[in-house]
Amino acid sequence: MRILISGVYIYSDNEVKEGYIYIDRDKIADISYSKEIPIEYEFSELHYTFKNNAIIFRGFSVAITPSLYPCRGSIKCIDYSIFSKDEIKTFIISSFYDLFMTGVTLPIIFNEPYIDQLYDVIRSYKLKSIIIIDEEDYIDKFLHVKEAIVGTTSKDLSDKYSVLYIDRSSICSLEEVGKENCKIVYMKNLYLPQYILIYRHMCSKDVRPLLFSGYLLISGTYNIEANTPADLIIYKLDKIIHAPLLKVDPLSIIARGFNPDLVIQDGDVIVEENMNYVLNERNLLKNIKLVI
């Protein structure tokens, strides 16, 4: 799909500039802050023009354990032995629903004990994610799933299967944000990536890259540039609850904890005005009620 997004503020390289973004399939094909929009872009299947009333960020990427969905925000969890495989799959699907709604376009799956159920969900719903696996059989299995980007904390397995190597010491808890070797924040069962920004006020280090960890792993940058993944989130600025400090602190709109108004993943609109186009909330609610 081709998408033109014009009349928008773009947050990239720690700056906010007015411009447009042109998406062709799963990549950002063009981005400009000065030149006029080429006429052929006007024939895109979708054209969002915001008249300078919206701001675009890279989609978030943080580490979570999807099966912990029922435990999110809770000090104590549940005995999972009472749940069937299908019920655990519902937890995993519900996690992805929440992740999409909060703007997480590249979740990093870590410490997931129910790998078989995760595999079924990823394959069935074609859910893009980085999956950190240290079991050889599962690495081989996920390599055949197009949407899965396989990573491992084992150098031997990384070399053997030519998959992404992730240093385990670089994965930190939310409380460890700001430490020297912290590159990926493991949110566990707290899925709001905005929590990371709390630590801007508690440590002197730049925590912005931690919002976009997966993109640094696969692209080497989280900046919005041509030929990078078309994974973007958009906040409309014509809402008083948003009203960010555009020039002073654009990240303030994220820190306030509101969900994005538009979420784009691989060039497809997956969330728009609180409507999730990938996963059906009503069906999930029915299953969750039965389970919990």
Side-chain angles (χ1 to χ4, degrees):
M1 179 178 286
R2 297 172 302 159
I3 303 175
L4 174 61
I5 306 170
S6 62
V8 68
Y9 290 103
I10 302 166
Y11 177 83
S12 185
D13 201 21
N14 201 27
E15 290 184 301
V16 173
K17 292 188 272 187
E18 181 187 340
Y20 71 79
I21 291 177
Y22 176 63
I23 295 170
D24 189 357
R25 289 171 287 187
D26 62 343
K27 299 290 186 188
I28 296 173
D30 191 15
I31 178 171
S32 178
Y33 305 103
S34 56
K35 69 180 184 182
E36 290 190 8
I37 301 172
I39 189 65
E40 60 267 28
Y41 294 178
E42 302 282 354
F43 295 98
S44 301
E45 285 86 348
L46 285 176
H47 183 184
Y48 292 95
T49 178
F50 291 104
K51 300 179 180 179
N52 299 333
N53 259 332
I55 182 169
I56 295 184
F57 296 94
R58 170 66 66 199
F60 303 133
S61 181
V62 294
I64 57 102
T65 301
S67 64
L68 291 178
Y69 180 79
C71 313
R72 64 203 187 287
S74 177
I75 296 173
K76 294 183 179 180
C77 201
I78 307 167
D79 178 5
Y80 271 52
S81 65
I82 65 173
F83 299 125
S84 68
K85 292 180 180 179
D86 285 341
E87 288 169 336
I88 291 172
K89 281 171 62 174
T90 299
F91 296 159
I92 294 172
I93 297 168
S94 299
S95 281
F96 275 94
Y97 175 90
D98 268 9
L99 291 166
F100 289 160
M101 298 302 287
T102 56
V104 179
T105 51
L106 184 59
I108 302 169
I109 311 304
F110 182 61
N111 274 351
E112 178 53 68
Y114 300 98
I115 297 291
D116 287 319
Q117 286 75 25
L118 175 69
Y119 174 82
D120 289 342
V121 170
I122 296 288
R123 188 186 57 178
S124 298
Y125 291 92
K126 299 180 179 180
L127 301 176
K128 176 181 174 181
S129 55
I130 296 174
I131 304 168
I132 301 176
I133 311 170
D134 291 337
E135 294 85 5
E136 191 165 355
D137 291 344
Y138 283 119
I139 288 177
D140 187 58
K141 191 173 183 179
F142 272 97
L143 282 175
H144 296 91
V145 180
K146 179 183 176 182
E147 293 73 25
I149 301 166
V150 179
T152 180
T153 62
S154 165
K155 286 186 177 180
D156 290 340
L157 291 176
S158 173
D159 292 339
K160 181 176 180 179
Y161 288 95
S162 298
V163 298
L164 198 64
Y165 171 70
I166 300 167
D167 186 347
R168 183 175 285 271
S169 67
S170 70
I171 304 172
C172 63
S173 67
L174 195 60
E175 294 76 20
E176 294 171 316
V177 167
K179 290 189 176 180
E180 191 66 39
N181 62 339
C182 180
K183 306 296 183 186
I184 300 171
V185 180
Y186 176 42
M187 306 295 286
K188 196 174 180 180
N189 60 344
L190 299 169
Y191 300 149
L192 291 178
Q194 294 91 333
Y195 291 168
I196 293 170
L197 293 182
I198 295 171
Y199 290 84
R200 290 192 302 168
H201 306 287
M202 299 173 64
C203 62
S204 58
K205 295 184 180 178
D206 184 6
V207 299
R208 284 175 296 131
L210 297 178
L211 281 170
F212 317 102
S213 300
Y215 294 102
L216 286 169
L217 286 173
I218 65 172
S219 303
T221 181
Y222 61 85
N223 287 325
I224 299 174
E225 301 171 356
N227 297 315
T228 59
D231 293 355
L232 304 165
I233 57 175
I234 299 175
Y235 291 88
K236 293 182 179 179
L237 305 180
D238 55 356
K239 301 178 179 180
I240 194 151
I241 57 173
H242 286 175
L245 303 169
L246 266 180
K247 301 297 183 182
V248 179
D249 186 9
L251 291 178
S252 65
I253 191 170
I254 296 174
R256 293 170 193 184
F258 298 108
N259 288 347
D261 297 292
L262 201 69
V263 180
I264 298 172
Q265 183 189 60
D266 277 343
D268 291 322
V269 177
I270 61 171
V271 175
E272 188 170 15
E273 299 290 354
N274 289 319
M275 177 67 69
N276 192 312
Y277 294 139
V278 178
L279 301 169
N280 187 288
E281 181 182 18
R282 188 168 295 178
N283 290 341
L284 289 173
L285 284 172
K286 286 179 184 176
N287 293 332
I288 289 293
K289 285 177 183 177
L290 288 174
V291 171
I292 304 177

